[in-house]
């Protein structure tokens, strides 16, 4: 089943986000390589693909896991968690409807 992992960044965490981005992307790439990733990306803090110093407000990852517990455990071990980038994480079951 798919699970939506929605995160909120801690205030003033852009430098931490940039420093730990390679390790964060490595984990997401592993999901993608396993055919389990539906989509992933950050929420820019302003209406721009490249928000520069405005940074980001969080992220969305939709990926396949065996259980809610497995998705939550995966989310909670992200490098952004250890680095203090994420202030809050929500994990919910997700049913893809469209596109078919």
């Amino acid at each position: 089943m798919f699970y939506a992992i929605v995160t909120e960044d801690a205030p003033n965490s852009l430098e931490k986000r940039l420093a730990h981005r390679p390790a964060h992307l490595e984990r997401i790439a592993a999901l993608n390589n396993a055919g389990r990733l539906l989509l992933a990306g950050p929420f820019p803090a302003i209406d721009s693909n490249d928000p520069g110093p405005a940074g980001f407000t969080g992220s969305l990852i939709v990926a396949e896991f065996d259980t809610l517990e497995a998705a939550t455990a995966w989310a909670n071990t992200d490098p952004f968690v250890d680095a203090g980038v994420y202030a809050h994480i929500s994990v919910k079951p997700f049913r893809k409807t469209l596109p078919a």
Side-chain angles (χ1 to χ4, degrees):
M1 176 168 202
F2 285 112
Y3 294 88
I5 300 167
V6 182
T7 68
E8 293 178 27
D9 284 11
N12 304 310
S13 60
L14 180 58
E15 286 184 29
K16 293 176 185 176
R17 176 184 268 275
L18 295 175
H20 296 276
R21 187 171 184 261
H24 169 75
L25 291 178
E26 186 177 317
R27 295 179 80 234
I28 296 172
L31 287 176
N32 190 48
N33 293 340
R36 296 171 45 204
L37 183 66
L38 184 61
L39 63 90
F43 299 120
I46 60 173
D47 190 12
S48 174
N49 280 331
D50 183 5
F56 301 91
T57 61
S59 299
L60 169 65
I61 300 166
V62 180
E64 190 173 22
F65 293 91
D66 290 334
T67 64
L68 176 60
E69 292 77 18
T72 301
W74 185 90
N76 287 332
T77 57
D78 191 282
F80 281 177
V81 172
D82 293 337
V85 174
Y86 291 157
H88 178 74
I89 299 173
S90 173
V91 182
K92 297 180 180 185
F94 179 82
R95 188 183 79 186
K96 181 180 180 283
T97 303
L98 294 171

